[in-house]
Amino acid sequence: EDQVTQSPEALRLQEGESSSLNCSYTVSGLRGLFWYRQDPGKGPEFLFTLYSAGEEKEKERLKATLTKKESFLHITAPKPEDSATYLCAVQAAGGSARQLTFGSGTQLTVLP
Amino acid sequence: DAGVTQSPTHLIKTRGQHVTLRCSPISGHKSVSWYQQVLGQGPQFIFQYYEKEERGRGNFPDRFSARQFPNYSSELNVNALLLGDSALYLCASSGGTGNYNEQFFGPGTRLTVL
């Protein structure tokens, strides 16, 4: 069974204080690993897709990396508007369905 | 371009009733997936449809059903509602430019069962 574990559950940072969020996964063959941002009461917003170990993707203050067992979302010099829940999901290879298995998320709060 | 749209935004039902939730995918996307998100947890997969055919089903009871229409919009139906069905129901579309891996979510329908 595919599993995704995110840590920490919650993280409070001062504005400008860089940090990393962790996503550990077990999957029977990885098709892709996905990062989403979710604001309260809204649907997840797509951020990145990573397909193979060693791959990195960047977008503004966010950088996602992937190894064979985990992914990190690095946040550099965060701003209060980066406050949100960050969700990690995996998609298993094989089969006709492209379902996503999500972790419980990391709730990030950036204080001004 | 319009993103994924879902209706209604909010819904209040009582136990035992049934509910129909609707989703319109991004223009050009042919696949729709449904997820249930309980407060404090990540979304959980319910169904995936592609070209009107069911491609995958998550671990949900038969009270949950769905279908996809020729215009690629979709409906999720839940019968005999239970208190535990209260959640945010998310629709995601995929298939733009042939990429069926990346899924883009709508704003969700908040269902409250009393």
Side-chain angles (χ1 to χ4, degrees):
Chain A
E1 182 179 335
D2 304 335
Q3 282 194 316
V4 177
T5 302
Q6 293 189 245
S7 62
E9 291 184 7
L11 181 62
R12 291 166 66 92
L13 299 173
Q14 289 295 134
E15 185 172 0
E17 180 186 2
S18 300
S19 187
S20 295
L21 313 182
N22 177 263
C23 170
S24 298
Y25 65 90
T26 55
V27 64
S28 54
L30 180 69
R31 185 190 302 275
L33 185 140
F34 303 82
W35 282 98
Y36 289 86
R37 169 194 169 126
Q38 187 173 29
D39 293 305
K42 298 188 176 181
E45 174 189 347
F46 173 79
L47 293 174
F48 303 110
T49 308
L50 301 166
Y51 289 107
S52 57
E55 190 175 0
E56 299 181 352
K57 293 275 181 73
E58 285 189 67
K59 180 180 180 180
E60 295 181 353
R61 295 177 292 281
L62 300 177
K63 178 180 177 180
T65 62
L66 180 65
T67 73
K68 289 186 177 180
K69 294 183 179 180
E70 57 192 350
S71 177
F72 292 94
L73 184 66
H74 307 278
I75 303 176
T76 303
K79 298 181 178 181
E81 54 261 42
D82 294 322
S83 297
T85 295
Y86 290 85
L87 295 166
C88 170
V90 296
Q91 192 176 70
S96 58
R98 303 291 174 96
Q99 66 195 72
L100 298 175
T101 299
F102 282 87
S104 295
T106 294
Q107 185 175 9
L108 174 66
T109 303
V110 182
L111 303 171
Chain B
D1 285 343
V4 177
T5 59
Q6 292 186 243
S7 62
T9 304
H10 296 89
L11 205 52
I12 298 175
K13 292 286 188 178
T14 56
R15 283 177 295 174
Q17 288 188 312
H18 73 272
V19 67
T20 298
L21 310 181
R22 295 177 175 82
C23 169
S24 292
I26 294 170
S27 177
H29 285 196
K30 298 182 178 181
S31 182
V32 168
S33 300
W34 287 95
Y35 293 82
Q36 180 196 66
Q37 186 175 26
V38 175
L39 197 62
Q41 296 183 20
Q44 188 173 0
F45 174 74
I46 309 175
F47 286 108
Q48 184 178 60
Y49 277 78
Y50 171 70
E51 292 279 14
K52 297 174 289 180
E53 291 189 0
E54 182 182 307
R55 288 298 182 94
R57 181 183 186 122
N59 188 25
F60 280 80
D62 292 343
R63 300 185 295 107
F64 289 77
S65 63
R67 56 179 175 169
Q68 186 177 31
F69 299 99
N71 66 353
Y72 304 112
S73 67
S74 177
E75 283 183 353
L76 175 70
N77 293 283
V78 186
N79 293 324
L81 285 168
L82 303 174
L83 295 179
D85 294 331
S86 296
L88 181 67
Y89 287 85
L90 296 162
C91 173
S93 79
S94 58
T97 62
N99 184 339
Y100 291 93
N101 298 328
E102 295 177 356
Q103 298 183 17
F104 299 89
F105 285 84
T109 293
R110 171 70 62 185
L111 172 64
T112 301
V113 182
L114 302 176

